[in-house]
Amino acid sequence: MLNPIHLRTLRECVRTGSFAEAARTLGYTASAVSQQMMLLERAVGAALFERSARSVRPTAVGRLLAERSQDVLGALAKLEGEARAIALGEHGTLRLASFATASARVLPPALAEIVARCPGAEVELDEGEPDEVLGGVVDGSVDLALVFEYDLAPREWPISLRRTELLAEPLTIAVPSAHAAEGPEVDLAELADEPWMCTREDTAGARSLGRLAQDAGFTPRIIFRSNDYTVLRDLVARGLGVAMLPGLAVSGEDIRALRPTGVTASRRVLAVHRPHNGNPLLPVALDCLRVAASTVLLG
C-alpha cells in the first residue's frame, strides 16, 4: 500500500527537481528523502526518477504518481479533518431516547445547549418507557437514554449500563384547584373515598400508588388509567378525580399538587449509557442534561 507521506515527498521532489531542495522544504534530511523514494519505488515496482549528481528527473511512472496523488492526498486530508471533527465532538451523531415528561421538561434546554456547543452535530431522539429503550442502549443503537425509577417500585437494571441520577421528583397528589383539602400537604387516608386515576396496572407508578394507599389503610378506586400524565393532569383539572403525579408532570394553575403527609418517596430520573461508549458527544450530552435538570422547578 502506498504511504501518503511518501507521496507528499514525491510531489515535492518532482516540483523542485531535487532531493536536497525537497528535503529543505519538508524539513527532512536529503538522505531521508532519498530513502522514502527508494521505499516508494519498491512499493510501486518501478523507478520513479532518473538520478544524476545534481538533480533528479521523474520517470513516466513518477510523473503519473505525482499528478494523481494530488486528489488522493486531498481526499485523505478531508477524511482526516472529518475524523478529527468527530473525535472533538464538532460533528457526528448522538442518539438519544427519553420518556414523555422528561422530553417535555428536561430535554428542550439540554438539546438547545448541545446544539449550541456542537453546532455541526446531529441529534436523533426517540421516545419510550424504560423497558422500551433500554435494549437500544445495551445493543448500541442508542447512545444515552433518560429513564425513571420509583423508590417504591425499584427495578433491576442491566449490569452493563452506567446510571447517572439527574433529579428526584417528589411524588405529589394532584387535586382540582377547588378541592377542599387545605395546606400544602394531605393525609392520604382523607382521600380514600375519592375517585382515583393512575397509570396502567403493570406500571411502577400504579404499584407505587397501591403501596402508599395500602400504608394509609385503603385501596384506591381507580376510574381511569393512562400512561400519559398530561391526560391524567387534565382530567384532575376538570374535577373528575385525584391522581398521584411525579414532579415533572405537575404544571398549571388549574390543579394543586399536595405532598402526602409523612411520605418522602420520589421518582428518580436517570441517564443510562454504556460505560465504554466512545462517542465524544456523550459527555457533552451528560453535562448539558445535568445542567438542565438542575434548573427544573418541580411541583
Side-chain angles (χ1 to χ4, degrees):
M1 183 176 292
L2 300 181
N3 187 320
I5 295 176
H6 296 170
L7 292 175
R8 292 190 183 95
T9 302
L10 168 68
R11 288 180 55 79
E12 195 61 27
C13 291
V14 171
R15 187 186 71 82
T16 61
S18 166
F19 284 0
E21 186 62 31
R24 281 190 290 271
T25 302
L26 297 173
Y28 297 141
T29 64
S31 62
V33 169
S34 178
Q35 184 177 17
Q36 286 187 34
M37 293 304 94
M38 289 177 60
L39 291 172
L40 187 56
E41 287 176 329
R42 186 179 303 168
V44 173
L48 301 178
F49 294 97
E50 298 174 5
R51 294 165 171 80
S52 66
R54 296 188 177 183
S55 65
V56 291
R57 183 189 302 275
T59 63
V61 176
R63 284 193 298 272
L64 175 67
L65 275 181
E67 292 170 1
R68 296 286 182 85
S69 63
Q70 180 176 0
D71 292 339
V72 173
L73 294 174
L76 285 173
K78 181 181 179 181
L79 177 60
E80 182 180 356
E82 291 174 351
R84 184 178 295 111
I86 292 175
L88 294 174
E90 297 171 357
H91 291 286
T93 300
L94 178 69
R95 299 156 300 181
L96 299 177
S98 179
F99 60 98
T101 45
S103 295
R105 301 285 302 279
V106 179
L107 271 184
L111 290 178
E113 183 61 22
I114 293 171
V115 172
R117 293 192 195 183
C118 308
E122 293 184 359
V123 180
E124 299 176 356
L125 177 61
D126 196 6
E127 191 171 276
E129 298 293 301
D131 288 334
E132 297 172 330
V133 302
L134 281 174
V137 184
V138 173
D139 68 26
S141 60
V142 173
D143 291 306
L144 184 148
L146 294 186
V147 296
F148 59 80
E149 179 178 36
Y150 284 82
D151 291 344
L152 297 175
R155 62 174 298 153
E156 293 185 1
W157 301 96
I159 60 174
S160 60
L161 299 184
R162 178 171 295 169
R163 305 189 303 278
T164 301
E165 183 172 319
L166 298 177
L167 59 89
E169 311 168 70
L171 297 183
T172 65
I173 305 303
V175 300
S177 57
H179 195 276
E182 298 179 355
E185 295 187 349
V186 65
D187 186 334
L188 277 180
E190 297 177 6
L191 303 177
D193 295 329
E194 295 276 0
W196 282 82
M197 296 171 284
C198 74
T199 53
R200 293 195 301 261
E201 291 186 15
D202 59 345
T203 62
R207 292 194 296 273
S208 296
L209 172 60
R211 179 172 173 181
L212 287 177
Q214 182 180 24
D215 291 344
F218 71 97
T219 299
R221 178 169 60 90
I222 308 298
I223 64 169
F224 183 79
R225 295 182 183 272
S226 172
N227 278 7
D228 187 336
Y229 278 121
T230 301
V231 173
L232 298 182
R233 196 210 70 85
D234 289 347
L235 292 175
V236 170
R238 293 180 180 276
L240 299 179
V242 299
M244 185 187 74
L245 301 181
L248 286 178
V250 176
S251 63
E253 298 180 355
D254 47 1
I255 67 168
R256 292 162 56 202
L258 309 178
R259 301 289 178 89
T261 303
V263 175
T264 58
S266 300
R267 183 179 78 165
R268 301 182 185 277
V269 179
L270 312 170
V272 297
H273 64 92
R274 298 181 310 284
H276 303 298
N277 185 338
N279 190 333
L281 293 170
L282 181 57
V284 176
L286 282 170
D287 186 52
C288 293
L289 286 167
R290 290 189 191 97
V291 173
S294 70
T295 63
V296 171
L297 298 178
L298 299 176

